Amino acid sequence: MQQDRTSCGRRYFRNHDEFLRWFEIRSAGFGDWYTPPPPRRWKLSGGRHMENCIAAVFPEFLHELRDETGKPIGYLATVPGYWNGDVNSLHTYEYIDETFQFRHWKMMALTAWYVLTTEWLRLPRLFDPVVRRLRASRMRGANAIFLLAILIDPEYRKHGLTQRLIGHAKEAGRQLGYEYVVAPFRPNAYGDFKLARKAAHSDELFAQYSRMTDAQGRLIDPWLRAVVRMGGQLYRPVPHSFAVRGSIERFERFRQEFRRNDWYSPAHDVWECGETCTWYVDRARGEVLAVESNVWGRFAWGRKPRLFPAPPRWKRHLRRPQPEMVAYPRRLRLRRARGVEAPLGVSGASRRRFASR
């Protein structure tokens, strides 16, 4: 497959089959424990129309890749946020994941209005004024794009599509005038590292693994190494960055279906199976918490983009000085201060002609 045959744009599920395929790609990338079962076809809450509504409100942050036949093969999820440049001020994955989460009743009403105006009446201009205040509430003061998830169809991996999506996120940040593209990266091979040693997860072990290199000086984790190769800069590990809850009954079924021969318990009610996360059983609450750590990093812009293009060097000395603006009463407008005062009572076009003499 050739990369230039793919098209990248705003995420939009054309039908329910594409929506289900999105869940399958998520499950292949993160596992069944992290991916909830898809809702029913006509369910509004959490369904296809609600996801399309969120993408319509924030088109700069939710993207998709399609091949030459129009089949979706990749997805990118980002959110706007603020970062002051201090590495220690970067929070957890869960903190930034809450950016596009709204109250249930508000999201239901917004989705219903989106379906009515955009899907049925085909009048998106009626939907735009409603979302302006909602966009402002999430984008006011933002100066960074935070990457949440990059999903690639397993059949289309190793074709440079991840780099294509990251480049699209950078371009969206440039157009918005943002300063940073930041992400909590997930070391995919950390689970295999623990499994080979039958080791228990600890913050010290994770920090040690995230810095380990091979004989050529490259990071041993494939994903972290790919991030550095694409121009990323890694900052620091973040323990307990993300967690997913589930019942004990669901966990027992999950252990019987997922990597049955790899499970081991390094401590009482603590389970590992060669994945990045670690499962902790809470008998009091009757639930299991899967917790994973991440590594914070950012992608460099390169040269800082200019908001306005600079004129050619040979033309810079030809630029005229900006006219000095003098405040006059409203009926007299504004004019250039040339030392020539127009007679009182002359306004509008006559005054401008008098000042240009």
Side-chain angles (χ1 to χ4, degrees), residues 314-341:
W314 63 274
K315 281 187 176 181
R316 292 180 185 178
H317 69 282
L318 300 178
R319 288 184 299 175
R320 296 181 179 179
Q322 293 294 328
E324 181 183 357
M325 303 303 294
V326 180
Y328 286 92
R330 181 180 297 274
R331 68 184 184 88
L332 299 180
R333 308 289 182 178
L334 298 175
R335 71 179 186 88
R336 293 183 179 181
R338 286 183 154 180
V340 179
E341 184 67 33

Side-chain angles (χ1 to χ4, degrees), residues 87 90 185 187 203-204 206-208 210-211 234-241 293-297:
V87 177
L90 292 170
F185 299 107
D203 297 342
E204 294 77 13
F206 181 81
Q208 176 187 355
S210 62
R211 293 190 299 264
L234 302 178
Y235 288 139
R236 66 181 181 92
V238 183
H240 307 284
S241 178
S293 302
N294 298 136
V295 178
W296 273 109

Side-chain angles (χ1 to χ4, degrees), residues 54-66:
I54 297 175
V57 177
F58 303 99
E60 306 92 343
F61 304 98
L62 300 171
H63 313 281
E64 67 178 9
L65 269 179
R66 294 180 180 268

